[in-house]
Amino acid sequence: MAESFTVLNPASAPAQGSLTDKKSEFIADICHVDELAQAVSFVETIRERHPKARHVAYAAICGDQGRLAERMSDDGEPSGTAGKPILDVLRANHLTDCVVTVTRYFGGILLGSGGLTRAYSSAASLAVKAADTARIATCVRLRMTVGYPQLDTLTHLIAQSDGVRDNEQYTDVVRLDALIEQSKAQAFSARVIEAFSGSVHAERIGVEHRAIQ
């Protein structure tokens, strides 16, 4: 199964690509979204930004292989010439949790179905190329409790496994979670037991996905 990637650019600062074909301008914007409702909201933001544009076509993908959700719109262009080419670009780049809009300012010359498909696809590809992306990895959430003198050692072990600290709680002891890529989780747990002579164990809490830059 191919790896999945996501776009890191927020809706407030989307990545952009643009091109001109037979006097029609195509402006593509891409950003991260967590759900399709956010994608629709982003599309409306783009419409407001370009009130004189003829079309704002888009495509969005959210979720993982087990629960993938997709949405697209030609926004008045001939069926299959705008939304689908944009969606195909997202699929080809194995992207999820993102939306691409392509805004068209009509230049007065008809492009035909083939020309429209190429223009929308090319504009979307330029935006994807300009975006900051990250690999989505399956990670195990491991929970540990250590004393303050042990914290530096645990922090080092997490860093060695390219993990991320999360949910830290500081009381008389330190309780924290580590997000470790699934392929490295077993070795990490073994290192924790060895480093602390069995006094600290990494409790498996669950599995989740996170972006790895």
Side-chain angles (χ1 to χ4, degrees):
M1 184 182 295
E3 287 186 315
S4 294
F5 299 84
T6 191
V7 172
L8 299 178
N9 303 77
S12 58
Q16 192 176 92
S18 65
L19 61 86
T20 301
D21 191 341
K22 295 182 179 178
K23 298 184 179 181
S24 281
E25 186 179 9
F26 295 83
I27 305 168
D29 293 274
I30 184 170
C31 74
H32 179 87
V33 294
D34 292 313
E35 56 187 13
L36 292 180
Q38 292 178 0
V40 173
S41 295
F42 179 71
V43 174
E44 292 307 312
T45 299
I46 296 298
R47 290 189 198 283
E48 292 171 3
R49 191 178 303 168
H50 299 278
K52 296 183 179 180
R54 179 70 67 89
H55 307 281
V56 180
Y58 78 92
I61 300 180
C62 291
D64 55 33
Q65 294 296 329
R67 51 176 186 84
L68 207 60
E70 300 175 337
R71 182 175 292 181
M72 63 182 179
S73 170
D74 294 312
D75 194 35
E77 294 282 29
S79 179
T81 63
K84 188 177 185 304
I86 300 170
L87 183 62
D88 286 344
V89 169
L90 297 183
R91 289 171 173 170
N93 286 276
H94 308 291
L95 289 170
T96 188
D97 295 340
C98 64
V99 56
V100 179
T101 61
V102 179
T103 303
R104 182 189 182 191
Y105 284 92
F106 183 55
I109 301 174
L110 297 176
L111 300 182
S113 296
L116 284 173
T117 298
R118 286 190 296 273
Y120 277 101
S121 176
S122 296
S125 294
L126 289 172
V128 169
K129 187 175 181 179
D132 296 322
T133 59
R135 177 174 61 91
I136 297 177
T138 301
C139 296
V140 178
R141 179 176 289 272
L142 299 165
R143 185 160 296 167
M144 291 150 288
T145 300
V146 295
Y148 284 88
Q150 299 170 310
L151 182 57
D152 285 345
T153 300
L154 180 58
T155 298
H156 180 67
L157 291 173
I158 294 171
Q160 274 188 326
S161 297
D162 299 316
V164 173
R165 289 162 55 175
D166 188 36
N167 196 28
E168 299 174 41
Q169 300 176 41
Y170 295 88
T171 56
D172 56 324
V173 293
V174 182
R175 295 180 178 87
L176 59 84
D177 294 348
L179 288 166
I180 308 292
E181 283 195 56
Q182 196 167 40
S183 60
K184 302 176 181 179
Q186 185 173 350
F188 170 79
S189 296
R191 289 194 196 101
V192 169
I193 292 173
E194 181 181 2
F196 298 110
S197 301
S199 63
V200 178
H201 291 268
E203 179 188 0
R204 184 183 174 112
I205 301 301
V207 176
E208 54 196 77
H209 303 283
R210 60 178 282 261
I212 305 287
Q213 289 181 271

